[in-house]
Amino acid sequence: MAIIAERPVTTEPTAAKPTLRDAGLAALAPASWGTVYVVTATLLPPDRPLLAAALRALPAGLLLLVLTRRLPRGSWWWKTTALGMLNFGAFLPLIFYAAYHLPGGVAATLGALQPLLVALLALPMLRVRTPAPILLAAIAGAGGVALLTLSAEARLDPLGLAAMLTAVALMAVSLLLTKKWGRPEHPLAMTGWQLTLGGLVLAPATLLFEGLPGSLTTANLIGYGYIGVVTTALAYPLWFRGIDRLAPTSVSLLTLTNPLVATAAGFLVLGQTLTGWQLTGFAVALTALTLSQTLAGGRRVR
């Protein structure tokens, strides 16, 4: 198999037949992640990012390993370790730290920068040039999310900002590495490997730096169960499947569903109101997301 980095520079190719179903399934993952902020704020114990990350990763990883009964082979041991640390061992505690220290709107706006970062890194890492319309859609999407989620009263905790920006960068790099390396097995097995390895790093770190809470309420257990099953064990296999089937920037733009779902949930469930600027931002982000998938057509990059 040819090494992607040795290919001449190309644009993200188009295929004869769009695969909007692939994009739709992949979008379910970041859509579910849009609920993590409200779950963290309302159901989880305060100020325990390592515990939240460990309980999100390790149980889900072990469950998927039991279901798939497969282990990495050859070079996939070190590749899986690298991806597991990027996607879970480092990414998850940073995301939860940001969730504890930043308003959801600020975190969502920073997360919307990921498609732009992926578009910029796709050239040096994959030798793939992002088409100008897709790049413009990424810029418009980030602007729409900023209108949708930011407010004048938003708190800007420096460490929270640093954690979120680092998490966005790690996820962008892991997305491109996953695209570059491909996958040796079914996405379910690959997800189980990464979650387990990331969780095995997070578990002792949790015991060392945070310890275990004296007790957990029913709400805490429901919250941990939800983020472990719905937003992890079910969501990440769909996400990795999407990375395998869709162009890098195309799949990254699906992360715009995260703030859209978070805002819609606040409006429908929590009774929050939307200003005219927020409605405009919602429309801009949704349009950018729709156009990006139409222009990209759910294309594969091989």
Side-chain angles (χ1 to χ4, degrees):
M1 182 178 67
I3 300 176
I4 294 179
E6 294 178 351
R7 295 179 181 175
V9 176
T10 61
T11 58
E12 291 182 4
T14 58
K17 185 177 181 180
T19 55
L20 293 179
R21 178 176 177 271
D22 292 330
L25 289 173
L28 292 176
S32 74
W33 301 336
T35 63
V36 169
Y37 296 111
V38 66
V39 170
T40 301
T42 59
L43 297 179
L44 301 188
D47 298 321
R48 288 185 175 271
L50 285 174
L51 178 64
L55 290 180
R56 184 177 177 182
L58 189 55
L62 293 174
L63 174 63
L64 293 181
L65 282 185
V66 170
L67 292 176
T68 57
R69 298 184 181 182
R70 297 173 181 173
L71 292 175
R73 296 180 181 179
S75 65
W76 276 100
W77 277 106
W78 70 264
K79 291 179 180 178
T80 300
T81 301
L83 292 174
M85 287 304 301
L86 287 171
N87 283 317
F88 303 112
F91 174 78
L92 287 184
L94 289 171
I95 282 292
F96 279 110
Y97 185 89
Y100 279 122
H101 291 82
L102 291 176
V106 175
T109 302
L110 295 176
L113 297 176
Q114 183 191 308
L116 294 175
L117 188 57
V118 169
L120 294 174
L121 293 177
L123 183 59
M125 292 184 66
L126 300 182
R127 306 292 291 173
V128 171
R129 181 179 292 113
T130 303
I134 305 297
L135 185 59
L136 290 175
I139 295 173
V145 170
L147 285 176
L148 174 65
T149 58
L150 283 180
S151 68
E153 295 79 20
R155 293 181 298 107
L156 298 180
D157 180 278
L159 291 178
L161 289 173
M164 190 65 196
L165 288 172
T166 303
V168 169
L170 291 178
M171 191 171 189
V173 172
S174 70
L175 188 156
L176 292 169
L177 285 177
T178 302
K179 172 63 69 176
K180 181 175 182 177
W181 290 338
R183 58 175 174 84
E185 297 284 353
H186 190 277
L188 203 62
M190 183 176 179
T191 306
W193 302 343
Q194 293 187 40
L195 281 167
T196 301
L197 289 170
L200 288 175
V201 172
L202 289 169
T206 300
L207 295 175
L208 180 62
F209 295 107
E210 288 183 358
L212 297 177
S215 62
L216 292 175
T217 66
T218 301
N220 297 156
L221 295 175
I222 292 174
Y224 285 128
Y226 175 82
I227 63 174
V229 176
V230 177
T231 70
T232 305
L234 296 179
Y236 272 101
L238 294 176
W239 181 244
F240 290 132
R241 179 182 182 275
I243 293 176
D244 182 60
R245 293 170 180 255
L246 303 174
T249 309
S250 176
V251 69
S252 183
L253 275 160
L254 294 175
T255 58
L256 294 179
T257 59
N258 184 317
L260 294 180
V261 167
T263 301
F267 176 74
L268 296 173
V269 179
L270 303 179
Q272 297 173 348
T273 59
L274 295 176
T275 67
W277 282 114
Q278 286 177 308
L279 290 172
T280 301
F282 192 101
V284 169
L286 184 61
T287 300
L289 174 62
T290 303
L291 288 179
S292 70
Q293 298 308 308
T294 302
L295 293 170
R299 312 310 186 202
R300 294 174 182 259
V301 177
R302 295 296 186 193

